[in-house]
Amino acid sequence: SQANGDANDQLERELLELKLRQNPGLRLQTPAEVRHAAALGWRLDVNRASADDWLRLPGITPTQVDLLLRLQRGGVQLSGLDDLERLLELPRSQATAWEPLLLFRWYGDGAPLHASPRPVDLNRAPSAALECELPQLNAVRRARLLRERQRAPFSDLADLQQRLQLPPALVEELIGKVRFGQGPAGPQLPRSA
């Protein structure tokens, strides 16, 4: 039975290799195909991947790819599977399925810091909470954040980076520490009965 399984794996790997040769942009459909592609030497460099590279992963959405590329253009790098999982709000099973293909190479100086357990909602947190929970945002950046979110809530880290003109290193520090709830900050009105 083990020999049968090994023979089937080998056959599936050879079939996938042939498909990939015929169509280098082939989108992988299952975790097994991801493992086979990794066994063939295929890798996705998370901090340098193109849209086509990302779109090969099973289950990734165009919206997720857009967020990754906007952050990449802004100079933001991801340091590991946890960063990717938190950023894209992936189920652990999906992140784990992609893991065999993912390379987390760091370009440039400095290693990232890891996230705090409770992300701060940047669209709703009061100024005092921002100051306490996110000391990396100085008073000028906090004031700009408060003004900008009154105009429109932030949609994601790339939107925050662009609107506040934040340096990549600061955005990297915020991965997993912040979230983006819907709607503007403000008082909660009582519900009518």
Side-chain angles (χ1 to χ4, degrees):
S1 176
Q2 178 66 29
N4 252 357
D6 290 347
N8 283 343
D9 271 1
Q10 182 62 31
L11 186 59
E12 286 180 28
R13 199 170 15 256
E14 288 171 7
L15 182 58
L16 183 63
E17 185 175 20
L18 182 61
K19 286 180 184 178
L20 288 169
R21 255 195 252 126
Q22 290 174 345
N23 178 7
L26 179 72
R27 185 165 184 165
L28 303 173
Q29 300 297 317
T30 66
E33 285 186 349
V34 169
R35 286 191 306 278
H36 292 316
L40 293 169
W42 284 60
R43 294 292 181 270
L44 184 149
D45 184 343
V46 169
N47 292 316
R48 294 291 186 261
S50 69
D52 289 340
D53 295 334
W54 282 113
L55 288 170
R56 286 187 181 159
L57 297 177
I60 196 164
T61 67
T63 302
Q64 290 170 324
V65 172
D66 178 64
L67 173 59
L68 289 161
L69 294 178
R70 287 187 296 136
L71 287 171
Q72 186 183 90
R73 281 191 301 271
V76 174
Q77 299 185 71
L78 304 179
S79 63
L81 192 61
D82 287 345
D83 280 354
L84 186 66
E85 191 177 330
R86 284 191 301 264
L87 180 67
L88 299 181
E89 299 177 4
L90 297 174
R92 174 53 88 170
S93 59
Q94 187 171 12
T96 312
W98 294 351
E99 190 172 19
L101 285 180
L102 304 178
L103 281 179
F104 290 90
R105 289 199 176 119
W106 194 260
Y107 298 91
D109 299 330
L113 300 173
H114 287 284
S116 64
R118 295 173 301 142
V120 176
D121 186 342
L122 290 185
N123 287 328
R124 296 180 176 269
S127 180
L130 294 173
E131 184 175 359
C132 177
E133 299 286 329
L134 300 171
Q136 51 278 75
L137 292 178
N138 62 29
V140 172
R141 286 189 172 126
R142 276 194 312 276
R144 193 176 322 141
L145 182 148
L146 294 170
R147 279 193 314 273
E148 278 293 317
R149 78 179 187 190
Q150 284 181 327
R151 288 187 331 111
F154 295 100
S155 57
D156 53 40
L157 267 176
D159 182 37
L160 178 76
Q161 181 184 28
Q162 181 184 19
R163 288 169 54 190
L164 299 187
Q165 300 172 351
L166 299 177
L170 178 56
V171 177
E172 289 159 2
E173 281 185 53
L174 296 177
I175 292 173
K177 293 180 181 178
V178 298
R179 63 186 188 86
F180 301 91
Q182 297 303 308
Q188 297 294 325
L189 298 177
R191 293 183 176 193
S192 56

